[in-house]
Amino acid sequence: SDSEEELEHICHVILLAGPPASGKSTLGRKLESNFGYTHFDIGKHIRENMPAGADLQDFALSSVEGILRTKNYVLLNGFPKYRHGLSLLTSRWVQLELCLWLQVPDVDALARRALARHISGERPEDDDANFRTRLRIYEEETIPTICSLGSVNVIEIDASRSEDSVETLAMDAWKVAGLRLGRKLRGSGSRDRRDADEADFEVLVSLMSGEERLRPLLPARAKVSTLRKILVDDGETEFDLKLYFEGREILDPEILCYMHGFTLGCTIIMVRQEKPPPRRLSPPR
């Protein structure tokens, strides 16, 4: 039966979202090569395979459902564009693990990218008018849809950088997501990638004044006590240190990568408190 088939088949899904011309397809191809997920570019699939006269939304939904039912690991590019696409991603046989959300705040930069693709013939249909229409749909429909993903790991990536930098940020985000889930996300390929639990993270430690104090590299599974020891060894021995993350005091047994809200480039606030004077022993009577 369909229900028995659903229980037997689980598709692990990572979403790749972003405005038009933000580089989703380029990044998707690179991540497919590095991590072994099937990169399904819904926009490209529609352009190359949708029959004349077919309903766009029905074709997109049936195409995505087809790939999710036949593959176990899918990098889904450009879907969902509209909120009704979320129903497919909440099926019992779909495990939605991560959303990589590309951000390019400069609309003019996006327009220049789209124009270059239009002129080169890579996307001949993507003239300025078409680009502006797709951008409006993204802003009005896709952004609220991504924002409604709830508990899914949504990690924003600055896609205004170079292709290599964006790829590096995405791969780091992939590792962080695995740590938040308590396991390593599936990965394959020949690139040097240590186990996600062994990855090093740059942690910015600041004083309450905002002055930067130390930017150590720590293993992802390091405890707060490890960070405290680094600070003490760096000369904070005359102070009692309290450490805060997102307004909450963090305690020595906690593991950095499992703290709620932990992400790359996070800031930990350090508060110095003078140690009380040592207790004096009463002289023997």
Side-chain angles (χ1 to χ4, degrees), residues 4-280:
E4 291 175 347
E5 182 180 342
E6 289 178 1
L7 291 175
E8 292 175 359
H9 173 75
I10 296 293
C11 183
H12 303 263
V13 176
I14 292 179
L15 303 180
L16 188 53
S22 58
K24 298 187 295 296
S25 296
T26 299
L27 178 60
R29 290 191 294 268
K30 291 183 176 183
L31 295 178
E32 179 180 43
S33 173
N34 283 303
F35 290 101
Y37 277 58
T38 297
H39 174 219
F40 188 67
D41 185 337
I42 184 62
K44 180 180 179 181
H45 179 76
I46 288 172
R47 291 191 299 273
E48 296 180 351
N49 298 285
M50 189 174 76
D55 180 82
L56 176 61
Q57 296 308 313
D58 289 344
F59 181 79
L61 284 171
S62 62
S63 298
V64 170
E65 182 174 5
I67 198 74
L68 298 186
R69 284 190 177 277
T70 55
K71 302 291 184 180
N72 295 110
Y73 297 90
V74 175
L75 177 61
L76 192 52
N77 177 353
F79 184 93
K81 182 176 290 187
Y82 300 94
R83 191 179 291 267
H84 64 257
L86 292 173
S87 59
L88 183 57
L89 300 177
T90 55
S91 302
R92 290 195 303 168
W93 46 275
V94 173
Q95 185 167 320
L96 188 53
E97 299 183 320
L98 168 66
C99 176
L100 299 174
W101 196 357
L102 303 190
Q103 303 288 327
V104 183
D106 186 352
V107 174
D108 290 337
L110 291 172
R112 289 192 295 270
R113 291 184 185 181
L115 178 61
R117 298 192 308 187
H118 172 65
I119 294 174
S120 69
E122 178 186 351
R123 292 285 298 276
E125 78 287 354
D126 207 9
D127 57 16
D128 186 68
N130 186 45
F131 164 75
R132 299 289 174 180
T133 298
R134 296 199 299 127
L135 182 63
R136 177 181 56 78
I137 293 173
Y138 168 78
E139 293 173 341
E140 295 178 358
E141 302 286 350
T142 307
I143 289 178
T145 299
I146 299 301
C147 289
S148 67
L149 287 174
S151 61
V152 176
N153 283 301
V154 178
I155 300 182
E156 297 184 7
I157 294 175
D158 181 2
S160 61
R161 302 187 182 189
S162 68
E163 288 185 9
D164 288 343
S165 296
V166 172
E167 181 186 7
T168 299
L169 290 171
M171 292 178 68
D172 288 342
W174 197 293
K175 295 173 184 177
V176 170
L179 292 169
R180 289 179 178 175
L181 290 169
R183 56 186 172 78
K184 184 174 71 170
L185 295 181
R186 181 178 189 253
S188 62
S190 59
R191 292 189 61 158
D192 178 23
R193 297 186 307 277
R194 289 180 295 166
D195 184 85
D197 293 345
E198 299 173 359
D200 290 336
F201 290 86
E202 189 175 63
V203 181
L204 174 62
V205 179
S206 296
L207 301 178
M208 288 295 287
S209 63
E211 176 189 356
E212 181 178 327
R213 173 62 183 154
L214 181 67
R215 192 188 288 267
L217 281 173
L218 296 175
R221 282 184 176 272
K223 293 184 177 181
V224 173
S225 58
T226 303
L227 174 59
R228 188 186 302 278
K229 182 178 185 303
I230 290 176
L231 293 168
V232 169
D233 291 346
D234 192 54
E236 298 291 339
T237 52
E238 70 270 34
F239 297 102
D240 280 334
L241 302 180
K242 286 186 177 294
L243 301 175
Y244 292 85
F245 180 66
E246 295 191 339
R248 178 183 68 85
E249 182 178 1
I250 53 177
L251 305 177
D252 285 356
E254 294 186 67
I255 297 174
L256 291 172
C257 65
Y258 292 152
M259 296 189 306
H260 178 72
F262 179 88
T263 187
L264 300 176
C266 64
T267 301
I268 292 175
I269 303 297
M270 181 176 71
V271 178
R272 293 170 172 153
Q273 294 183 328
E274 292 189 5
K275 290 184 176 180
R279 295 177 59 187
R280 293 183 178 179

